[in-house]
């Protein structure tokens, strides 16, 4: 939809033909000027092509045809190959991102089925952190939209604009986020002011049914958990009415997440759910957004559950691993001619 609406819905003009001829001849190639001029005269510059595809968001096994393009006017038999590269690019990237996201959703779903009382929070368990790590603004929009086929959390604002532009979302919001601190907003208070910085987050964003995230490793994550969140601000965290989501952001993820959960359990206690796994109080959770890939996500979940904690204690944020660390060979995408008359 995005490719068709953005690039194929505007007719070709004689000015476009002039520009293309200049570039292509200078490049050392031949150019079918007569064919393109005939297309403008006969079809008003619109491409006589039929593009058919499985519905977006469908779960389709590999080695299946998901899209085909056919010329609808025999006079323009040469036209499909002109957009093959652009059409394939428009398909492989978001489809691959959606597949990575879908794989992660399966890992998280199985973990929640084993260790949590319900799956209500599943669509918020993997958050898109990839906006600054992607190669372009358009890549962010397309990749994050693909992620939103599976989940409902993103920090990539471009996806929200793209959803409205290409999918007529009207007033429907396709994804959500929560207020979140970053290192600059914490360290701006100075090391001696870290407790005040954390307290300010509670004051500004705490409240009944509200959630907010605070990066807590600016100086010493373990001191932040043991002495600031778990001691100086413990009562404030317990009584604010919302949920504090602590974000570790350095170190080896499996070790850091497990130890963070164990330290939080000491300070805030846990309960056992119906599956026999430990769950922190509703007012405190963890989000791990550093070093997340499909592989590391699986390892973190295994370590956490082996330590007796439910997967519901953790949310994940994925950046480059979601939107950037893919290519056309990740899932062996190709487009080939299948019929010629």
């Amino acid at each position: 939809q995005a490719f068709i609406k953005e690039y194929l819905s505007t007719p070709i003009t004689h000015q476009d033909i002039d520009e293309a001829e200049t570039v292509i001849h200078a490049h050392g190639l031949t150019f079918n000027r007569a064919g393109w001029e005939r297309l403008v005269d006969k079809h008003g510059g619109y491409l006589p092509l039929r593009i058919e595809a499985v519905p977006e968001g469908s779960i389709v096994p590999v080695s299946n045809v998901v899209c085909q393009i056919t010329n609808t006017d025999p006079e323009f038999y040469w036209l499909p190959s002109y957009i093959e590269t652009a059409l394939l690019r428009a398909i492989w990237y978001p489809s691959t991102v959606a597949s990575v996201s879908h794989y992660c959703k399966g890992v998280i779903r199985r973990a929640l089925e084993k260790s949590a009382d319900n799956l209500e929070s599943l669509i918020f368990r993997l958050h898109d952190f990839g906006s600054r790590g992607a190669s372009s603004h358009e890549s962010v929009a397309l990749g994050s939209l693909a992620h939103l086929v599976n989940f409902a959390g993103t920090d990539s604002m471009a996806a929200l604009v793209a959803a409205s532009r290409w999918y007529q979302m009207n007033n429907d919001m396709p994804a959500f986020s929560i207020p979140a601190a970053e290192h600059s907003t914490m360290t701006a208070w100075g090391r001696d002011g870290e407790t005040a910085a954390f307290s300010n987050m509670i004051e500004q964003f705490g409240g009944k049914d509200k959630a907010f995230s605070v990066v807590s490793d600016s100086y010493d994550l373990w001191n932040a958990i043991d002495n600031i969140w778990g001691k100086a601000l413990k009562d404030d965290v317990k009584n604010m009415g919302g949920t504090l989501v602590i974000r570790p952001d350095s170190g080896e993820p499996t070790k850091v997440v497990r130890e963070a959960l164990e330290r939080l359990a000491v300070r805030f206690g846990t309960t056992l759910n119906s599956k026999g796994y430990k769950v922190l109080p509703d007012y405190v959770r963890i989000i791990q957004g550093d070093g997340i890939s499909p592989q590391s996500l699986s390892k973190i979940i295994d370590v956490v559950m082996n330590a007796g904690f439910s997967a519901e204690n953790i949310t994940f944020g994925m950046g480059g691993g979601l939107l950037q660390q893919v290519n056309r060979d990740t899932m062996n995408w190709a487009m080939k001619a299948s019929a010629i008359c």
Side-chain angles (χ1 to χ4, degrees), residues 3 51 100 103 118 120 128 145 155 180 246 277 281 297 316 322:
F3 174 70
I51 299 174
V100 170
Y103 172 83
N118 60 68
E120 293 176 0
D128 169 21
L145 278 177
D155 278 355
I246 295 173
Y277 285 85
L297 184 149
F316 296 94
L322 180 66

Side-chain angles (χ1 to χ4, degrees), residues 53-70:
V54 298
E56 294 183 31
S58 298
I59 300 173
V60 181
V62 295
S63 302
N64 276 271
V65 175
V66 299
C67 180
Q68 66 178 12
I69 177 173
T70 312

Side-chain angles (χ1 to χ4, degrees), residues 293-338:
S293 67
Q295 294 73 32
S296 66
L297 184 149
S298 297
K299 291 178 181 178
I300 292 169
I301 286 178
D302 288 343
V303 167
V304 164
M305 291 175 60
N306 287 338
F309 288 93
S310 170
E312 66 188 284
N313 292 294
I314 320 166
T315 299
F316 296 94
M318 190 184 297
L322 180 66
L323 300 190
Q324 188 68 17
Q325 293 173 15
V326 296
N327 59 53
R328 189 165 67 91
D329 293 328
T330 302
M331 298 183 66
N332 300 315
W333 285 92
M335 182 174 282
K336 306 293 182 181
S338 59

